[in-house]
Amino acid sequence: MTMSVDDRSLVNWPSYAQARAELGANFVRILGYFREDGLKSVDAIEAAMRARSAVALVVPAHTLKGEARQFGADPLADLAETIEVAARDCVERRDAPDLILEAVVKLRPLFEQTLTLLEREANPLVLRKPGGGFGRRAAV
């Protein structure tokens, strides 16, 4: 399966590589936590939207933003931040979050698509580009 130009833009690959290097052997486990926590955040955001509760949107959007940023999932983090900021504005104005609906509708598909890319790249069985990897010396 090849990545499209749009797929490649869903992840800041240098940031991803940095997180992978910093987390080392813990990377796959922490990516698994991102899957679990991210799904909980997306579920909570959707539930808050159905309840028209701006207050209930803030924390899960903030959490998702930070976790996504950690893995270089910048478009996902940006969308979560958009939801968080708009929800905070609604809380301050004591207004329903109706204008956030469009962003919330985009959230789950973007989360799922991004997570697929992150997990595919983290899979040790993924076919890598020739010139590096196990049993080959990288060109210097």
Side-chain angles (χ1 to χ4, degrees), residues 1-16 71-76 110 113-114 116-118 120-121 129:
M1 177 186 249
T2 59
M3 277 194 265
S4 72
V5 173
D6 290 336
D7 283 349
R8 283 192 301 268
S9 68
L10 293 180
V11 177
N12 177 330
W13 294 109
S15 293
Y16 175 91
F71 289 103
D74 294 342
L76 179 60
L110 181 59
Q113 187 177 9
T114 302
T116 298
L117 292 173
L118 295 173
R120 183 184 318 147
E121 187 65 23
K129 292 180 184 175

Short mmCIF file of all heavy atoms in Angstrom, two decimals, residues 1-16 71-76 110 113-114 116-118 120-121 129:
data_model
loop_
_atom_site.label_atom_id
_atom_site.label_comp_id
_atom_site.label_asym_id
_atom_site.label_seq_id
_atom_site.Cartn_x
_atom_site.Cartn_y
_atom_site.Cartn_z
N MET A 1 0.85 -1.18 0.00
CA MET A 1 0.00 0.00 0.00
C MET A 1 0.89 1.23 0.00
O MET A 1 1.78 1.38 0.83
CB MET A 1 -0.90 -0.01 1.24
CG MET A 1 -1.77 1.21 1.35
SD MET A 1 -2.68 1.23 2.91
CE MET A 1 -4.31 0.97 2.29
N THR A 2 0.65 2.15 -0.93
CA THR A 2 1.45 3.36 -0.99
C THR A 2 0.71 4.50 -0.32
O THR A 2 -0.52 4.52 -0.26
CB THR A 2 1.76 3.74 -2.45
OG1 THR A 2 0.53 3.94 -3.13
CG2 THR A 2 2.57 2.66 -3.14
N MET A 3 1.50 5.45 0.17
CA MET A 3 0.90 6.63 0.81
C MET A 3 0.68 7.70 -0.24
O MET A 3 1.54 7.93 -1.08
CB MET A 3 1.84 7.19 1.88
CG MET A 3 1.74 6.49 3.19
SD MET A 3 2.55 7.44 4.47
CE MET A 3 4.14 6.66 4.47
N SER A 4 -0.47 8.34 -0.18
CA SER A 4 -0.74 9.44 -1.08
C SER A 4 -0.10 10.70 -0.52
O SER A 4 0.34 10.74 0.62
CB SER A 4 -2.25 9.64 -1.23
OG SER A 4 -2.78 10.20 -0.04
N VAL A 5 -0.05 11.73 -1.35
CA VAL A 5 0.48 13.01 -0.90
C VAL A 5 -0.31 13.50 0.31
O VAL A 5 0.25 13.98 1.30
CB VAL A 5 0.44 14.06 -2.04
CG1 VAL A 5 0.83 15.43 -1.53
CG2 VAL A 5 1.37 13.63 -3.16
N ASP A 6 -1.63 13.33 0.28
CA ASP A 6 -2.46 13.76 1.40
C ASP A 6 -2.13 12.99 2.68
O ASP A 6 -2.07 13.55 3.75
CB ASP A 6 -3.95 13.60 1.08
CG ASP A 6 -4.42 14.59 0.03
OD1 ASP A 6 -3.79 15.66 -0.12
OD2 ASP A 6 -5.41 14.28 -0.64
N ASP A 7 -1.90 11.66 2.54
CA ASP A 7 -1.54 10.85 3.69
C ASP A 7 -0.25 11.35 4.31
O ASP A 7 -0.14 11.46 5.52
CB ASP A 7 -1.38 9.38 3.30
CG ASP A 7 -2.70 8.67 3.11
OD1 ASP A 7 -3.75 9.23 3.45
OD2 ASP A 7 -2.67 7.53 2.59
N ARG A 8 0.75 11.61 3.49
CA ARG A 8 2.05 12.04 4.00
C ARG A 8 1.94 13.35 4.77
O ARG A 8 2.69 13.59 5.70
CB ARG A 8 3.05 12.18 2.86
CG ARG A 8 3.59 10.85 2.38
CD ARG A 8 4.78 11.04 1.46
NE ARG A 8 4.46 11.82 0.28
CZ ARG A 8 4.08 11.33 -0.88
NH1 ARG A 8 3.95 10.03 -1.03
NH2 ARG A 8 3.82 12.11 -1.89
N SER A 9 0.99 14.20 4.39
CA SER A 9 0.86 15.49 5.06
C SER A 9 0.16 15.38 6.42
O SER A 9 0.11 16.36 7.16
CB SER A 9 0.10 16.48 4.15
OG SER A 9 -1.25 16.08 4.01
N LEU A 10 -0.36 14.21 6.76
CA LEU A 10 -1.04 14.04 8.04
C LEU A 10 -0.07 13.91 9.20
O LEU A 10 -0.47 14.05 10.36
CB LEU A 10 -1.97 12.83 8.01
CG LEU A 10 -3.17 12.93 7.08
CD1 LEU A 10 -3.99 11.65 7.15
CD2 LEU A 10 -4.01 14.13 7.42
N VAL A 11 1.19 13.59 8.90
CA VAL A 11 2.17 13.40 9.96
C VAL A 11 3.43 14.20 9.63
O VAL A 11 3.93 14.15 8.51
CB VAL A 11 2.54 11.90 10.13
CG1 VAL A 11 3.61 11.71 11.20
CG2 VAL A 11 1.29 11.09 10.48
N ASN A 12 3.92 14.91 10.62
CA ASN A 12 5.21 15.59 10.51
C ASN A 12 6.24 14.50 10.81
O ASN A 12 6.50 14.20 11.98
CB ASN A 12 5.25 16.74 11.53
CG ASN A 12 6.58 17.44 11.55
OD1 ASN A 12 7.62 16.86 11.28
ND2 ASN A 12 6.53 18.71 11.89
N TRP A 13 6.79 13.90 9.77
CA TRP A 13 7.65 12.73 9.94
C TRP A 13 8.93 13.02 10.71
O TRP A 13 9.36 12.16 11.49
CB TRP A 13 7.90 12.05 8.60
CG TRP A 13 6.62 11.47 8.07
CD1 TRP A 13 5.89 11.91 7.01
CD2 TRP A 13 5.88 10.37 8.62
NE1 TRP A 13 4.74 11.15 6.86
CE2 TRP A 13 4.72 10.19 7.83
CE3 TRP A 13 6.07 9.51 9.71
CZ2 TRP A 13 3.77 9.21 8.09
CZ3 TRP A 13 5.13 8.52 9.97
CH2 TRP A 13 4.00 8.37 9.15
N PRO A 14 9.55 14.19 10.58
CA PRO A 14 10.72 14.47 11.44
C PRO A 14 10.33 14.49 12.93
O PRO A 14 11.08 13.98 13.78
CB PRO A 14 11.21 15.83 10.96
CG PRO A 14 10.79 15.88 9.51
CD PRO A 14 9.45 15.18 9.50
N SER A 15 9.18 15.03 13.27
CA SER A 15 8.71 15.03 14.67
C SER A 15 8.43 13.61 15.13
O SER A 15 8.74 13.23 16.26
CB SER A 15 7.46 15.88 14.83
OG SER A 15 7.76 17.23 14.61
N TYR A 16 7.82 12.82 14.26
CA TYR A 16 7.55 11.41 14.56
C TYR A 16 8.86 10.68 14.84
O TYR A 16 8.98 9.95 15.83
CB TYR A 16 6.82 10.78 13.37
CG TYR A 16 6.57 9.29 13.51
CD1 TYR A 16 5.41 8.81 14.07
CD2 TYR A 16 7.51 8.37 13.03
CE1 TYR A 16 5.17 7.45 14.18
CE2 TYR A 16 7.28 7.00 13.14
CZ TYR A 16 6.11 6.55 13.71
OH TYR A 16 5.88 5.21 13.82
N PHE A 71 3.36 12.91 18.62
CA PHE A 71 3.70 11.97 17.56
C PHE A 71 3.84 12.64 16.19
O PHE A 71 3.99 11.95 15.18
CB PHE A 71 2.64 10.87 17.48
CG PHE A 71 2.71 9.93 18.65
CD1 PHE A 71 1.78 10.04 19.67
CD2 PHE A 71 3.71 8.98 18.74
CE1 PHE A 71 1.86 9.18 20.77
CE2 PHE A 71 3.79 8.13 19.82
CZ PHE A 71 2.86 8.23 20.84
N GLY A 72 3.78 13.96 16.14
CA GLY A 72 3.91 14.65 14.87
C GLY A 72 2.62 14.67 14.06
O GLY A 72 2.64 14.98 12.87
N ALA A 73 1.50 14.35 14.69
CA ALA A 73 0.21 14.34 14.00
C ALA A 73 -0.36 15.76 14.03
O ALA A 73 -1.38 16.04 14.66
CB ALA A 73 -0.74 13.34 14.67
N ASP A 74 0.32 16.65 13.33
CA ASP A 74 0.01 18.08 13.41
C ASP A 74 -1.39 18.45 12.93
O ASP A 74 -2.07 19.23 13.60
CB ASP A 74 1.07 18.90 12.69
CG ASP A 74 2.43 18.82 13.39
OD1 ASP A 74 2.49 18.43 14.58
OD2 ASP A 74 3.44 19.16 12.74
N PRO A 75 -1.88 17.94 11.78
CA PRO A 75 -3.24 18.29 11.38
C PRO A 75 -4.29 17.86 12.42
O PRO A 75 -5.24 18.59 12.69
CB PRO A 75 -3.43 17.58 10.05
CG PRO A 75 -2.04 17.47 9.49
CD PRO A 75 -1.18 17.21 10.71
N LEU A 76 -4.11 16.69 13.01
CA LEU A 76 -5.02 16.22 14.06
C LEU A 76 -4.92 17.13 15.28
O LEU A 76 -5.94 17.52 15.85
CB LEU A 76 -4.69 14.78 14.44
CG LEU A 76 -5.54 14.15 15.54
CD1 LEU A 76 -7.02 14.13 15.17
CD2 LEU A 76 -5.04 12.74 15.86
N LEU A 110 -10.25 11.83 10.71
CA LEU A 110 -8.86 12.28 10.72
C LEU A 110 -8.05 11.51 11.75
O LEU A 110 -6.92 11.09 11.48
CB LEU A 110 -8.79 13.79 11.00
CG LEU A 110 -7.38 14.38 11.00
CD1 LEU A 110 -6.67 14.16 9.65
CD2 LEU A 110 -7.44 15.87 11.33
N GLN A 113 -7.48 7.90 10.31
CA GLN A 113 -6.55 7.91 9.19
C GLN A 113 -5.12 8.16 9.69
O GLN A 113 -4.17 7.49 9.27
CB GLN A 113 -6.97 8.98 8.18
CG GLN A 113 -6.19 8.96 6.89
CD GLN A 113 -6.70 10.00 5.91
OE1 GLN A 113 -7.54 10.85 6.23
NE2 GLN A 113 -6.20 9.96 4.70
N THR A 114 -4.98 9.09 10.61
CA THR A 114 -3.67 9.42 11.16
C THR A 114 -3.11 8.25 11.97
O THR A 114 -1.94 7.88 11.83
CB THR A 114 -3.76 10.68 12.05
OG1 THR A 114 -4.27 11.77 11.26
CG2 THR A 114 -2.41 11.06 12.63
N THR A 116 -3.75 5.11 11.64
CA THR A 116 -3.35 4.07 10.70
C THR A 116 -1.94 4.32 10.19
O THR A 116 -1.11 3.40 10.14
CB THR A 116 -4.35 3.97 9.53
OG1 THR A 116 -5.63 3.61 10.05
CG2 THR A 116 -3.91 2.96 8.49
N LEU A 117 -1.65 5.55 9.82
CA LEU A 117 -0.30 5.88 9.33
C LEU A 117 0.75 5.71 10.42
O LEU A 117 1.82 5.15 10.17
CB LEU A 117 -0.27 7.32 8.81
CG LEU A 117 -1.05 7.61 7.55
CD1 LEU A 117 -1.05 9.11 7.27
CD2 LEU A 117 -0.48 6.84 6.38
N LEU A 118 0.46 6.20 11.61
CA LEU A 118 1.41 6.10 12.71
C LEU A 118 1.71 4.64 13.04
O LEU A 118 2.87 4.26 13.23
CB LEU A 118 0.88 6.82 13.95
CG LEU A 118 0.71 8.34 13.86
CD1 LEU A 118 0.01 8.86 15.10
CD2 LEU A 118 2.04 9.03 13.64
N ARG A 120 1.22 1.99 11.11
CA ARG A 120 1.88 1.33 9.98
C ARG A 120 3.38 1.62 10.02
O ARG A 120 4.20 0.72 9.83
CB ARG A 120 1.30 1.81 8.66
CG ARG A 120 1.91 1.09 7.46
CD ARG A 120 1.43 1.60 6.12
NE ARG A 120 0.02 1.87 6.08
CZ ARG A 120 -0.51 2.85 5.36
NH1 ARG A 120 0.24 3.66 4.65
NH2 ARG A 120 -1.82 3.04 5.35
N GLU A 121 3.75 2.84 10.29
CA GLU A 121 5.16 3.21 10.34
C GLU A 121 5.87 2.58 11.54
O GLU A 121 7.05 2.27 11.47
CB GLU A 121 5.29 4.74 10.39
CG GLU A 121 6.71 5.23 10.28
CD GLU A 121 7.39 4.93 8.94
OE1 GLU A 121 6.71 4.72 7.92
OE2 GLU A 121 8.64 4.90 8.94
N LYS A 129 12.64 1.43 2.91
CA LYS A 129 13.36 1.79 1.70
C LYS A 129 14.72 1.09 1.69
O LYS A 129 15.36 0.98 2.73
CB LYS A 129 13.58 3.30 1.63
CG LYS A 129 12.32 4.09 1.43
CD LYS A 129 12.62 5.56 1.38
CE LYS A 129 11.36 6.36 1.29
NZ LYS A 129 11.58 7.80 1.35
#
